[in-house]
Amino acid sequence: MVVRPRPTFECIRKRLARATVALCFLSGNAAAEDCWSLLDSRFGPDIRAAVDVADPCKKLKGGLDVTKEFQITELDICTAPQGVKVTAKAEITCKTSDAALFKASLSGDLTADLTVDVGACKITRSDIQVGGDVGRLLSSLPDFQKAARSFGQAKLTEVCFGGLK
């Protein structure tokens, strides 16, 4: 039996970049509104590995900065008239650290709908909804949609210009 080392975050990011760019270009040749599940594709294991190392709660204020669970349940890519539509759904639970005086956790679900102009490498439309207790916390933050879109655009830029080295 061959034991393969666990891939590094950088290796996973590059694999995801290649998968995303390949699927985006392939979708440009398909009929309108054709969709593919990235989780069910050959890229699924790399996507799940990237999600495993993600830490979305890390930047939350108020001490709930430990990711207890982050599971992506859906990640689809569809053709769209103005580019490529990406739909993602995930479940998230954030908690306080083990050293916190008061223990707490918040759970919620995330749904993101994005339209991407692949040629320009630009998010042209975004709608991110977060439900549950995590959603109530995030909705209290000013400009959440703008911040979420900026974060997504930064990651997309990495994929377009930094991920194919």
Side-chain angles (χ1 to χ4, degrees), residues 53 122 149:
V53 298
K122 183 176 181 181
R149 183 173 178 155

Side-chain angles (χ1 to χ4, degrees), residues 5-37:
R6 185 177 176 141
T8 64
F9 180 75
E10 183 64 20
C11 177
I12 292 168
R13 187 185 67 77
K14 287 180 181 180
R15 288 179 188 170
L16 283 174
R18 288 183 188 108
T20 303
V21 170
L23 285 171
C24 288
F25 285 113
L26 287 174
S27 66
N29 298 326
E33 291 302 314
D34 283 339
C35 297
W36 301 270
S37 169

Side-chain angles (χ1 to χ4, degrees), residues 114-151:
L114 308 170
T115 302
V116 177
D117 178 337
V118 178
C121 191
K122 183 176 181 181
I123 295 173
T124 57
R125 188 191 67 73
S126 66
D127 181 40
I128 294 113
Q129 300 298 318
V130 185
D133 295 330
V134 172
R136 283 189 281 284
L137 176 65
L138 291 177
S139 67
S140 69
L141 300 175
D143 298 323
F144 167 70
Q145 288 290 327
K146 183 178 177 182
R149 183 173 178 155
S150 294
F151 175 80

Side-chain angles (χ1 to χ4, degrees), residues 36-120:
W36 301 270
S37 169
L38 291 175
L39 293 179
D40 293 337
S41 73
R42 68 184 181 109
F43 305 111
D46 288 336
I47 293 167
R48 285 185 176 86
V51 168
D52 284 345
V53 298
D55 193 1
C57 301
K58 186 177 187 176
K59 296 188 185 239
L60 287 179
K61 305 277 189 236
L64 294 160
D65 56 356
V66 176
T67 302
K68 181 178 179 182
E69 177 189 23
F70 183 51
Q71 180 180 13
I72 191 158
T73 57
E74 180 181 314
L75 182 59
D76 295 337
I77 187 167
C78 305
T79 59
Q82 282 76 38
V84 175
K85 180 180 173 188
V86 179
T87 302
K89 293 183 180 182
E91 297 171 357
I92 184 170
T93 302
C94 301
K95 69 174 191 148
T96 55
S97 73
D98 292 336
L101 182 61
F102 298 103
K103 307 286 188 228
S105 68
L106 297 176
S107 295
D109 53 85
L110 173 118
T111 302
D113 289 307
L114 308 170
T115 302
V116 177
D117 178 337
V118 178

